[in-house]
Amino acid sequence: MTDPIQQQLITARKNQILDAAARVFATKGFHAATIKDVASDAGIAAGTIYNYFENKTALLFAIFERMRDSRQALTTFAELQPDDVRGFIRAFVATPLMSLHSDYLDLFRVVISEIMVNEELRALYAQQIIGPTLIIAEKWFQTWIAQGLIKPIDTGLMVRTLSSLILGLMVQKLIGDELLQTRWESLPDTLTDLIMDGIRGET
Amino acid sequence: MTDPIQQQLITARKNQILDAAARVFATKGFHAATIKDVASDAGIAAGTIYNYFENKTALLFAIFERMRDSRQALTTFAELQPDDVRGFIRAFVATPLMSLHSDYLDLFRVVISEIMVNEELRALYAQQIIGPTLIIAEKWFQTWIAQGLIKPIDTGLMVRTLSSLILGLMVQKLIGDELLQTRWESLPDTLTDLIMDGIRGET
Amino acid sequence: MTDPIQQQLITARKNQILDAAARVFATKGFHAATIKDVASDAGIAAGTIYNYFENKTALLFAIFERMRDSRQALTTFAELQPDDVRGFIRAFVATPLMSLHSDYLDLFRVVISEIMVNEELRALYAQQIIGPTLIIAEKWFQTWIAQGLIKPIDTGLMVRTLSSLILGLMVQKLIGDELLQTRWESLPDTLTDLIMDGIRGET
Amino acid sequence: MTDPIQQQLITARKNQILDAAARVFATKGFHAATIKDVASDAGIAAGTIYNYFENKTALLFAIFERMRDSRQALTTFAELQPDDVRGFIRAFVATPLMSLHSDYLDLFRVVISEIMVNEELRALYAQQIIGPTLIIAEKWFQTWIAQGLIKPIDTGLMVRTLSSLILGLMVQKLIGDELLQTRWESLPDTLTDLIMDGIRGET
DNA sequence: CATGAATGAGCCTTCATTCAT
DNA sequence: CATGAATGAAGGCTCATTCAT
């Protein structure tokens, strides 16, 4: 049961299956992909998958969790100066944007697609990914306002606007916007400028 | 063949079917919905649907086209003053946001979900909805820059940022963000302020 | 919906399927029989069965109901004289025994087998077949006791003994007892004698 | 090979497995029970079962054989007086009826169910359990008739009637007849009276 | 001999689509 | 053009059985 070597084997096999599932889902989409597709890609028998995952949906959820974990690993703003508004904003924007590797692109597409439609997955996404980020960010904004570093804006709407902006850019990139894809690297700076100062010409 | 009365009947029947399909898809999702579900909701036989639409996917595409048309109808900025930057931005943001009625919410959810996964639908969305909007908006921004009304920003990235912001807010609302849902009405003004002037405190 | 011709067609198709199911179940047993077996035997596609029956188990239940109905049709003792104890007993015994045609033999085997194991079917059998018979019979016995026609026995146990005897004979015949099969016709008389007078030699 | 200690170990392990199988089969039924269920209940691995039994069906057969053996152990009428007709009948009836403990109830249910459907098991039951009993009983009846202790009835039908009565009562008890369950203890006497003297009132 | 992961045949069921009426 | 019964391909999932360790 708790044999560490067994656990490693189990984890390895799970990852093998999830890697295959991620590839297949990304290629064909979740609904079009079959368990046999995943099994073939993983080089195992279809039935074996059910020794490690409850059902097809569980594969999607596990993939989702892996994405969440890999994302949380990135979301560390520890080294930032507390009053460095611009630095924080840039990091806040750049971190998720840069995590959207070309490897993850198609997988993210599938997960987002299912999030829209699957209530349970949607709740997970809201609670485990969006939620914590919003709370952390909102505290920073409140601090800055108290310090007079930024205008006294509605922090709740502000953090949602920021995260929506990021999410929307990702989705639009996924949709195939060429300019976004070629200029993706320059987004953090451009966005930070916009958020800090807006577009209005100085008068 | 091209008997106008026949055409009207055909159009009416198509709309009857699409109305039903929109309701059913919105309720159960595209994949979970069956042709019989749609037929029942429309009060007709399942076979009849195939007299008007090629297959199930065609229903989704037709629904998509209706959404596109209704959206294009809204996107008229004719009455705006050419130099009213703030007015344009506000309209540009408010129009799609306000079109996300509660009626359309779930349907939009389904369509977005499929757009992510269906390449053909995705191309349509990019070309027919996002594309024209971006082109129009970009021209305005270029004009304003020429007039010195706004900073000399990268207009391509700018319009994509704006439309992504809108799209992202819609998606995040769909995901179930409560604050966004209750404060939805105040978004246009808040966003316009942000876009125009940013968050930085005046020094 | 309530079109009588439609109803007839539906009933005919249901019977066609049930006939096939009865044959196949009788031959291979319920669990070993597949839906495709039934469909092939009925000369239709597998999917068609699901237009008429919920699932495989529903087929068994419907078969059970047909047997119940055909059995109830036989269970009429109206023409008997109220004080004809021997006549009643003989009819009570003979009716079910004689209904066990060779056609029904294997089917009855399957149904009994499932009744043992399927709680819902068991409840149906107890309530709809055994129960009513016991109640009717018990009233007759009580009348006869009141009239002094038979000994003051425990009527509850008596009617259960009788119906168990019948059931047991059927089961034992199904098990393949050759003597029972060849002498089946003489059972009613033999049993009636036994029940009336026992085996003890007159002293 | 024929090491006696090895044999004991093998027998013990077989019994361990059969005990578990009996419990699991009785609880879930033969078809619903899985080999893993049995293995879990026995506290061993699924594969181990196949070191002792050919396949799943073999478990059922072995259980059946154990029931047969335990039953034969009971069926000893040695101590009865050869002319004690009533005593013999009572023992003949009481022995199997009383062997239907609540422990065995559900197991018997499963075995009977499979006997109905499995031809091989059915043959075993007929030859090894019913058959010998009938032969023994028939000889007694013939003796009694020769002695004038009972009427000159058809002994073949008679013994089958008796054993069917017992079998039928068991089945009906299994089906859930409440009165039979509460009055089960009084059956031997009641049945013996019935068989000996019938129900007809003395004239 | 014990283990239990791997296997893969096979089943029930769904449902988009067709077509005779 | 409407109907809806019939179709049958396809998929998720189970589980008895095997066999390398």
Side-chain angles (χ1 to χ4, degrees):
Chain A
M1 279 291 183
T2 46
D3 178 3
I5 292 190
Q6 280 298 320
Q7 285 302 322
Q8 278 193 356
L9 288 177
I10 290 176
T11 303
R13 182 52 58 99
K14 279 190 174 181
N15 280 329
Q16 176 193 8
I17 293 170
L18 288 182
D19 290 342
R23 277 190 297 270
V24 174
F25 290 173
T27 307
K28 311 183 77 167
F30 178 67
H31 285 103
T34 71
I35 286 290
K36 280 187 179 165
D37 289 336
V38 176
S40 298
D41 190 287
I44 58 176
T48 303
I49 291 179
Y50 290 88
N51 290 336
Y52 296 90
F53 296 94
E54 189 77 15
N55 50 37
K56 191 183 169 189
T57 305
L59 289 177
L60 191 69
F61 276 73
I63 287 174
F64 173 83
E65 299 215 334
R66 289 212 306 192
M67 293 178 76
R68 180 199 60 186
D69 293 343
S70 73
R71 182 146 182 197
Q72 281 183 333
L74 296 173
T75 323
T76 311
F77 303 104
E79 66 272 19
L80 290 171
Q81 299 294 328
D83 59 348
D84 180 9
V85 179
R86 165 172 287 270
F88 177 90
I89 300 263
R90 197 185 180 291
F92 187 85
V93 167
T95 307
L97 289 184
M98 293 309 124
S99 76
L100 200 61
H101 309 297
S102 62
D103 309 348
Y104 268 130
L105 257 185
D106 289 315
L107 189 55
F108 189 73
R109 189 201 312 284
V110 171
V111 171
I112 282 283
S113 173
E114 278 301 305
I115 281 177
M116 294 280 92
V117 159
N118 183 315
E119 194 157 351
E120 191 179 353
L121 202 57
R122 193 159 66 231
L124 276 184
Y125 184 65
Q127 290 165 19
Q128 302 195 345
I129 296 194
I130 303 270
T133 311
L134 294 183
I135 290 174
I136 292 174
E138 196 165 357
K139 284 182 184 162
W140 285 83
F141 275 88
Q142 287 166 346
T143 306
W144 297 329
I145 291 176
Q147 293 178 303
L149 294 172
I150 63 171
K151 298 176 189 167
I153 52 178
D154 181 323
T155 55
L157 274 188
M158 186 61 215
V159 295
R160 277 157 186 83
T161 300
L162 269 194
S163 74
S164 293
L165 175 56
I166 295 163
L167 180 59
L169 284 162
M170 287 170 152
V171 171
Q172 195 154 342
K173 183 186 184 189
L174 289 178
I175 289 173
D177 190 291
E178 291 187 12
L179 191 140
L180 268 187
Q181 283 162 0
T182 58
R183 307 288 304 281
W184 196 249
E185 306 293 328
S186 64
L187 269 178
D189 286 324
T190 309
L191 295 179
T192 307
D193 287 343
L194 170 67
I195 293 160
M196 292 302 290
D197 296 307
I199 62 172
R200 192 209 301 266
E202 311 296 334
T203 52
Chain B
M1 279 294 183
T2 46
D3 176 4
I5 292 190
Q6 280 298 322
Q7 284 303 320
Q8 278 194 355
L9 287 177
I10 288 177
T11 303
R13 179 55 60 98
K14 279 190 173 182
N15 279 327
Q16 175 194 9
I17 292 170
L18 289 182
D19 289 342
R23 277 190 296 271
V24 174
F25 289 174
T27 306
K28 312 182 75 167
F30 178 65
H31 286 103
T34 71
I35 288 289
K36 276 191 178 164
D37 289 335
V38 176
S40 299
D41 190 287
I44 61 175
T48 304
I49 291 180
Y50 287 85
N51 290 332
Y52 297 89
F53 297 94
E54 188 75 14
N55 50 36
K56 191 183 170 187
T57 305
L59 289 177
L60 192 70
F61 275 76
I63 287 174
F64 174 82
E65 299 212 334
R66 291 211 308 191
M67 292 179 76
R68 180 198 58 185
D69 295 343
S70 73
R71 180 142 183 201
Q72 284 183 333
L74 295 173
T75 323
T76 311
F77 303 104
E79 66 271 18
L80 289 171
Q81 300 294 328
D83 59 349
D84 180 9
V85 179
R86 165 173 286 270
F88 176 90
I89 300 264
R90 196 185 180 290
F92 186 84
V93 167
T95 306
L97 289 184
M98 294 308 125
S99 75
L100 200 61
H101 308 297
S102 62
D103 310 347
Y104 266 127
L105 254 185
D106 289 312
L107 186 57
F108 188 73
R109 187 203 310 284
V110 171
V111 171
I112 283 283
S113 174
E114 280 301 306
I115 282 176
M116 293 281 92
V117 159
N118 184 313
E119 192 158 352
E120 192 179 353
L121 202 58
R122 193 160 66 231
L124 277 184
Y125 183 66
Q127 290 164 19
Q128 303 195 346
I129 296 194
I130 304 271
T133 312
L134 294 183
I135 290 173
I136 292 174
E138 195 166 356
K139 285 181 183 163
W140 285 83
F141 274 88
Q142 288 166 347
T143 306
W144 296 330
I145 290 174
Q147 292 177 300
L149 294 173
I150 62 172
K151 299 174 188 166
I153 52 178
D154 181 322
T155 56
L157 274 189
M158 186 63 216
V159 294
R160 276 156 186 85
T161 300
L162 270 194
S163 75
S164 294
L165 175 56
I166 295 163
L167 180 59
L169 284 162
M170 287 171 152
V171 170
Q172 195 155 342
K173 184 186 184 190
L174 288 178
I175 289 173
D177 190 293
E178 291 188 12
L179 191 140
L180 270 187
Q181 283 163 0
T182 58
R183 307 288 305 279
W184 196 249
E185 307 293 326
S186 64
L187 269 178
D189 286 324
T190 307
L191 294 179
T192 308
D193 288 342
L194 171 67
I195 294 160
M196 292 301 292
D197 297 307
I199 62 172
R200 193 210 301 265
E202 312 295 334
T203 52
Chain C
M1 280 291 185
T2 46
D3 177 3
I5 292 190
Q6 279 299 318
Q7 284 302 321
Q8 279 193 355
L9 288 176
I10 289 176
T11 303
R13 181 51 59 96
K14 279 190 175 183
N15 281 327
Q16 175 193 7
I17 292 170
L18 288 183
D19 290 342
R23 277 190 297 271
V24 174
F25 289 173
T27 306
K28 312 183 74 167
F30 178 67
H31 285 102
T34 72
I35 286 290
K36 277 190 177 162
D37 289 335
V38 176
S40 299
D41 188 287
I44 60 177
T48 304
I49 292 179
Y50 289 87
N51 291 336
Y52 295 90
F53 296 94
E54 190 77 14
N55 50 37
K56 191 184 169 188
T57 305
L59 290 177
L60 191 69
F61 276 73
I63 288 174
F64 174 82
E65 300 216 332
R66 289 212 306 191
M67 293 179 75
R68 181 199 60 186
D69 294 342
S70 72
R71 182 145 183 198
Q72 282 183 331
L74 296 173
T75 323
T76 312
F77 303 106
E79 67 270 17
L80 290 171
Q81 299 295 328
D83 58 351
D84 181 9
V85 179
R86 166 173 286 271
F88 176 91
I89 300 263
R90 196 186 182 288
F92 186 85
V93 166
T95 307
L97 289 184
M98 293 308 123
S99 77
L100 200 61
H101 309 296
S102 63
D103 308 348
Y104 267 130
L105 257 184
D106 288 316
L107 189 55
F108 189 73
R109 190 202 311 284
V110 171
V111 171
I112 282 283
S113 173
E114 278 302 304
I115 282 177
M116 292 281 92
V117 159
N118 183 316
E119 193 158 351
E120 192 178 353
L121 203 57
R122 193 159 66 231
L124 276 184
Y125 184 65
Q127 290 165 18
Q128 303 195 345
I129 296 195
I130 303 270
T133 311
L134 294 183
I135 291 174
I136 292 174
E138 196 166 357
K139 284 182 185 164
W140 284 83
F141 276 87
Q142 288 166 346
T143 307
W144 297 330
I145 291 175
Q147 293 179 300
L149 293 174
I150 62 171
K151 298 175 189 166
I153 52 177
D154 181 322
T155 56
L157 274 188
M158 186 63 214
V159 295
R160 276 156 185 86
T161 299
L162 270 193
S163 76
S164 293
L165 176 56
I166 295 163
L167 181 58
L169 284 162
M170 287 171 151
V171 170
Q172 196 156 339
K173 183 185 184 190
L174 289 178
I175 288 172
D177 189 291
E178 292 188 11
L179 190 140
L180 269 186
Q181 282 162 1
T182 57
R183 307 289 302 279
W184 196 248
E185 307 293 328
S186 63
L187 269 178
D189 286 324
T190 308
L191 295 180
T192 308
D193 287 342
L194 170 68
I195 294 160
M196 292 302 291
D197 296 308
I199 61 172
R200 192 209 303 266
E202 310 298 333
T203 53
Chain D
M1 279 291 185
T2 47
D3 175 5
I5 293 191
Q6 281 298 322
Q7 284 303 321
Q8 278 194 354
L9 287 177
I10 289 177
T11 303
R13 181 54 61 96
K14 278 190 174 183
N15 280 327
Q16 174 193 9
I17 293 170
L18 289 182
D19 289 341
R23 277 190 297 271
V24 174
F25 290 173
T27 307
K28 311 182 76 167
F30 178 66
H31 285 102
T34 70
I35 286 290
K36 276 191 179 164
D37 289 335
V38 176
S40 298
D41 190 287
I44 60 175
T48 304
I49 292 180
Y50 287 86
N51 289 333
Y52 296 89
F53 296 94
E54 188 76 14
N55 51 36
K56 192 183 171 188
T57 305
L59 289 177
L60 192 69
F61 276 75
I63 288 175
F64 174 83
E65 300 213 334
R66 291 211 307 190
M67 292 178 77
R68 180 198 59 186
D69 295 343
S70 73
R71 182 145 182 196
Q72 283 183 332
L74 296 173
T75 323
T76 311
F77 302 106
E79 67 272 18
L80 289 171
Q81 298 295 328
D83 59 350
D84 181 9
V85 179
R86 165 173 286 269
F88 177 90
I89 300 264
R90 197 185 180 291
F92 187 85
V93 167
T95 306
L97 288 184
M98 293 308 125
S99 77
L100 201 61
H101 308 297
S102 62
D103 308 349
Y104 266 127
L105 253 185
D106 289 313
L107 186 56
F108 188 73
R109 187 203 310 286
V110 172
V111 171
I112 282 284
S113 174
E114 279 302 306
I115 281 176
M116 294 280 92
V117 159
N118 184 314
E119 194 159 349
E120 193 178 352
L121 202 57
R122 193 159 66 234
L124 277 184
Y125 184 65
Q127 290 164 19
Q128 304 195 345
I129 296 193
I130 304 270
T133 311
L134 293 183
I135 290 174
I136 293 174
E138 196 165 356
K139 284 181 186 164
W140 285 83
F141 274 89
Q142 287 166 347
T143 307
W144 296 331
I145 290 175
Q147 294 177 301
L149 294 174
I150 63 171
K151 298 176 190 165
I153 52 177
D154 181 321
T155 56
L157 274 189
M158 187 61 215
V159 294
R160 276 158 186 83
T161 299
L162 270 193
S163 75
S164 292
L165 176 55
I166 295 162
L167 180 59
L169 283 163
M170 287 171 153
V171 170
Q172 195 155 340
K173 184 186 183 189
L174 287 178
I175 288 173
D177 189 292
E178 290 187 12
L179 191 140
L180 269 187
Q181 283 162 0
T182 58
R183 308 289 303 278
W184 195 248
E185 306 293 328
S186 63
L187 270 177
D189 286 324
T190 308
L191 295 179
T192 307
D193 288 342
L194 171 68
I195 293 160
M196 293 301 292
D197 297 308
I199 62 171
R200 193 209 300 267
E202 312 296 333
T203 52

